[in-house]
Amino acid sequence: MTDRPIFPLTAAHWGVYRAEVEDGRLKALHPFEHDPDPSPIGQGYLGVLDDPLRIKAPMVRKAWLENGPGAASDRNGDDAFVRVSWETAEQLVADELRRVCADFGNQAIFGGSYGWSSAGRFHHAQSQLHRFLNCVGGYTRSVNSYSLAAGEVILSHVLGGDARFIHAPTPWQSVVEHTDLLVAFGGMPLRNAQISSGGTGRHRAREALEQAKRAGVSFVNISPIRSDVADDLMAQWLPARPGTDVAIMLGLAHELVRNDWHDAAFLDRYTTGFDKFADYLTGKADGIAKTAEWAAGIADLPAGTLEELAMRMARSRTVISVSWALTRQEHGEQPFWMATTLAAMLGQIGLPGGGVAFGYCAANSIGNERRPVSYAALPQLENPVKDFIPVARIADMLLNPGAEFQFNGQSLTYPDIRLVYWAGGNPFHHHQDLTRLCAAWQKPETVIVHDWCWNTLAKRADIVLPCTTPLERDDIMLTPRDRFIVRMKTVVPPIGAARSDHDIFRAIGRRMGVEHQFTEGRSTDEWLEWLYQESRHRACKAGIDLPDYPSFCEMGWYETPPPAGSADAFSAFRNDPDGAPLNTPSGRIEIVSSAIASFKSASVLPHPAWHEPEEWLGNAGDSFPFHLISSQPPDKLHSQLDHGPVSKSEKRNGRSPIRMHPSDAKVLGIAEGDTVRVYNARGACLATAKRDNDLLQGVVQMSTGAWLDAVRQDDGTLLCRHGNPNTVTRDRGTSELAQGPTAHSCLVAIERHEESGPIEAFLPPIIE
Ligand SMILES: Nc1nc2c(c(=O)[nH]1)N[C@H]1C(S)=C(S)[C@@H](COP(=O)(O)OP(=O)(O)OC[C@H]3O[C@@H](n4cnc5c(=O)[nH]c(N)nc54)[C@H](O)[C@@H]3O)O[C@H]1N2
Ligand SMILES: Nc1nc2c(c(=O)[nH]1)N[C@H]1C(S)=C(S)[C@@H](COP(=O)(O)OP(=O)(O)OC[C@H]3O[C@@H](n4cnc5c(=O)[nH]c(N)nc54)[C@H](O)[C@@H]3O)O[C@H]1N2
Ligand SMILES: [Mo]
């Protein structure tokens, strides 16, 4: 046996790796020896840690430096920057924070800073920022996620908001052992299961699905894209029009009632409001019976297929899986609500291998047993500012200070934001309608950003502070979503003058007189030890023994034992609905939500319902005939490492591919590899055509993540030459309930595009 050197461990949201270094540079990332299905995404780091896009020193936008806050704030991404010392940068930030707080109050600082940043419990950028801002008097925050805001809000009413119901559905083991039929609305794309927030030591989803297949589970993929379920699972594909899932579920529910297959005893004991909902379902309430035939017309599927599916679901141990994507569309609250109602009608919620699950494969953690422990995190301290926005309302907030808006039964007001501080996310990746965001982005007087590379956000900031990557600092991968905890080691020294987010805030805090409050006198090493000790203590209380800190550091990783007993989140409720009620007003599953009924909303009924979308294939005219799905990229996490070798190898002619059905391409005269312009009234992007039989005709697909490379079109809207689909997506809330993002509801037109000028996404700015 050859003695292979043991390289130090590092961790990312997409996996754990051993890092090989040569002459102080990263040479290779070797997958963790305990990962049966490692992700290639990590290889995206190779070559980019110290490339020309690396931010190696603090930078200030020249126009801001010369003219002061508020002047020349177009921030188009093509401005020149001036390199400054850390001393100057720290003082500029400290003075500007003081000025804004004194003149306008702390609510004028927007510190929501949504985004994924990097794995590692301590150096989580957003946590560092929030703690720091709380030390200087607080900030306007944001609530809920881009991932499934509508799901988070609706389930708080329907199931009581217990995180277990959202994030720990029927575990894979239970599916393998007990499920007959798994019906997946939005599929279960393995590409998304490469990721798990906080880090993932063992990719389990592929293996679990293979085991389920071998155990005889049948799969149904209800999605406009066949490849949303892996080929070898031999799923039945129902190519539904996007945005019609609630209609399909209603059609299935109607079949259950029509044939008396619904479980009246379950509905009676465990739910509220079924009778009222049944009036809507059968058409007693509004004159429209939501029959399978009615649903089939909306979804463009054969009615017989839905009737047959309803029968199979009633006769089998069935788990209904709903992709998170279904919440990122108009009325995105409804799919989770209706799926829960449908599962309740089947009466299998809380039985092994049955019920409802949200987002199998949306992350590697979904379906894994969750460790019943809440590990320690950096304490955030108190935020005295009460203002907040639902996360995806950022452009609305910046454009409409003082305006009133509705959110989850409350009337709220947008604060007047003067300073935006971002660390660990990228709104020019995640937000919709980027023409609108760019207009909104001109409103604040100052934008401060920490990032490590010159991406689309950094180029649109006034003060850019260079942070380290996880490979340049010590940390701990510590999350109840994964069985492994990992000591992340510094692999290469910080590049240039880069500092960890913590050290950046420590230094600014010193200038603002809050250093001690921020650090509590601890060094980074002492914080790591504190986090570990505190977590070990909490784990011990939950019956999990972690090694002592020196032993853990010595070993480098530790595998926590699986939780004992049944891990089905609903089984306790099923066994004893009075003793273990849900955290809803009634203690039961709320098919009719008393809270939502009390909101007296004109646009949201108190029970799940079908709302015809404003943008869908059912009303697509000739102007914008295609439905664009902008889903998660297989080759990276969002916009991270788009400039790395893995993402670049997936591009075509340097741009994002757009997948379209060959018949659609033919009608448009588009050949494989052609450059196309994807557009609507909101904007446009270029992309490279890729034919794909796996798509429903009329549906096109692009992945998110291409760094915005925008030029203005004649009508003033943006065109991205690199293929960022958020130039065309819509920036409207799901509904006044959750105000979540609606990126997946989007109609576009497509045309061949002859001229294919330069792509400048990967050019650093001019630095003077
Ligand atoms: N059209 C469309 N848009 C979408 C979606 C969609 O389905 N369709 N999906 C949405 C979803 S679900 C999400 S979650 C969002 C994701 O959106 P984001 O989470 O905002 O996207 P990321 O690209 O992961 O942004 C992370 C940023 O943090 C930086 N970073 C990494 N490590 C560190 C660090 O240690 N410190 C600091 N300061 N910075 C660091 C990275 O360089 C990067 O710029 O996108 C949303 N946008
Ligand atoms: N590789 C990789 N993995 C990731 C991420 C990443 O950036 N890269 N991001 C992570 C994050 S932050 C999140 S939130 C999750 C998101 O996980 P998901 O929400 O599951 O992700 P999406 O890829 O947006 O959508 C999944 C599928 O839903 C289908 N779909 C879209 N609209 C409809 C519809 O109206 N009806 C039906 N039936 N199907 C529809 C699409 O065909 C799409 O392929 O992924 C995570 N995993
Ligand atoms: Mo997400």
Side-chain angles (χ1 to χ4, degrees), residues 344-657:
M345 290 171 71
L346 292 173
Q348 299 181 15
I349 293 178
L351 291 181
V356 62
F358 307 106
Y360 281 132
C361 294
N364 179 58
S365 52
I366 306 292
N368 278 348
E369 295 91 359
R370 197 182 169 90
R371 271 49 184 167
V373 48
S374 136
Y375 290 127
L378 184 70
Q380 301 292 285
L381 310 176
E382 270 293 297
N383 183 354
V385 173
K386 295 297 161 233
D387 299 66
F388 69 91
I389 57 164
V391 68
R393 301 279 47 84
I394 176 169
D396 282 358
M397 170 185 73
L398 295 175
L399 290 167
N400 306 298
E404 206 177 287
F405 67 100
Q406 300 298 310
F407 170 66
N408 202 15
Q410 307 168 63
S411 248
L412 300 168
T413 306
Y414 289 123
D416 187 358
I417 298 300
R418 304 295 170 132
L419 185 150
V420 170
Y421 205 136
W422 222 291
N426 180 358
F428 292 90
H429 164 76
H430 63 233
H431 199 58
Q432 285 61 62
D433 195 347
L434 292 176
T435 299
R436 188 163 186 262
L437 181 66
C438 283
W441 205 246
Q442 301 184 357
K443 293 281 175 175
E445 290 160 18
T446 298
V447 175
I448 306 172
V449 166
H450 299 190
D451 213 309
W452 63 274
C453 50
W454 280 115
N455 60 19
T456 39
L457 173 64
K459 286 186 194 168
R460 285 168 179 76
D462 298 314
I463 303 177
V464 181
L465 304 179
C467 65
T468 48
T469 69
L471 295 154
E472 297 150 42
R473 58 199 187 206
D474 287 349
D475 210 331
I476 308 175
M477 177 187 125
L478 189 67
T479 157
R481 287 182 281 266
D482 202 78
R483 63 171 77 186
F484 287 99
I485 55 176
V486 174
R487 174 86 163 113
M488 298 162 65
K489 292 290 288 176
T490 300
V491 172
V492 289
I495 305 292
R499 290 178 178 172
S500 71
D501 294 283
H502 182 77
D503 286 344
I504 296 173
F505 288 126
R506 175 200 298 260
I508 300 167
R510 188 176 309 140
R511 287 176 195 267
M512 299 184 75
V514 296
E515 181 185 5
H516 189 78
Q517 203 183 338
F518 178 67
T519 64
E520 291 177 33
R522 292 191 184 102
S523 66
T524 293
D525 282 349
E526 286 164 347
W527 270 113
L528 293 181
E529 181 164 358
W530 179 87
L531 276 177
Y532 187 85
Q533 299 291 21
E534 181 66 24
S535 299
R536 184 171 177 236
H537 181 64
R538 293 189 192 184
C540 178
K541 278 206 208 146
I544 301 173
D545 283 329
L546 299 186
D548 62 42
Y549 189 57
S551 310
F552 168 65
C553 291
E554 173 78 24
M555 294 183 320
W557 58 269
Y558 181 73
E559 184 174 4
T560 54
S566 164
D568 188 309
F570 290 99
S571 58
F573 168 62
R574 182 172 188 116
N575 293 339
D576 184 5
D578 299 320
L582 302 184
N583 188 24
T584 55
S586 61
R588 301 181 184 190
I589 298 169
E590 299 221 341
I591 296 175
V592 163
S593 158
S594 54
I596 295 174
S598 76
F599 300 163
K600 303 205 177 346
S601 162
S603 61
V604 182
L605 293 172
H607 54 74
W610 156 252
H611 299 258
E612 183 179 340
E614 285 173 25
E615 285 189 40
W616 70 303
L617 287 174
N619 67 3
D622 293 340
S623 308
F624 304 115
F626 294 100
H627 192 117
L628 172 70
I629 303 276
S630 49
S631 39
Q632 316 300 310
D635 47 359
K636 55 185 169 279
L637 175 63
H638 314 132
S639 69
Q640 300 196 40
L641 302 175
D642 189 37
H643 58 318
V646 178
S647 176
K648 279 188 174 165
S649 72
E650 293 296 317
K651 296 185 193 284
R652 297 285 178 272
N653 302 332
R655 314 198 146 78
S656 306

Side-chain angles (χ1 to χ4, degrees), residues 723-738:
N724 184 326
N726 275 326
T727 44
V728 293
T729 52
R730 71 203 281 279
D731 180 16
R732 296 264 295 281
T734 46
S735 82
E736 60 187 51
L737 264 187

Side-chain angles (χ1 to χ4, degrees), residues 114 116 146-147 638:
Y114 181 81
W116 270 59
Y146 272 77
S147 313
H638 314 132

Side-chain angles (χ1 to χ4, degrees), residues 714-747:
D714 292 344
D715 65 358
T717 62
L718 296 184
L719 170 127
C720 174
R721 296 174 291 191
H722 189 209
N724 184 326
N726 275 326
T727 44
V728 293
T729 52
R730 71 203 281 279
D731 180 16
R732 296 264 295 281
T734 46
S735 82
E736 60 187 51
L737 264 187
Q739 297 284 11
T742 56
H744 280 309
S745 298
C746 173
L747 293 176

Side-chain angles (χ1 to χ4, degrees), residues 41 114 116 146-148 184-187 189 191-195 222-225 228 240-245 323-326 328-329 359-363 627 629-638 659 701 704 744:
I41 290 178
Y114 181 81
W116 270 59
Y146 272 77
S147 313
L148 71 167
F185 289 88
R191 64 162 192 280
N192 291 353
Q194 292 176 92
I195 303 290
I222 302 180
S223 166
I225 303 181
D228 278 343
R241 281 174 170 166
T244 65
D245 301 86
S323 147
W324 294 354
L326 270 57
R328 294 197 295 284
Q329 54 177 246
Y360 281 132
C361 294
H627 192 117
I629 303 276
S630 49
S631 39
Q632 316 300 310
D635 47 359
K636 55 185 169 279
L637 175 63
H638 314 132
R659 291 196 284 161
Q701 183 274 338
T704 62
H744 280 309

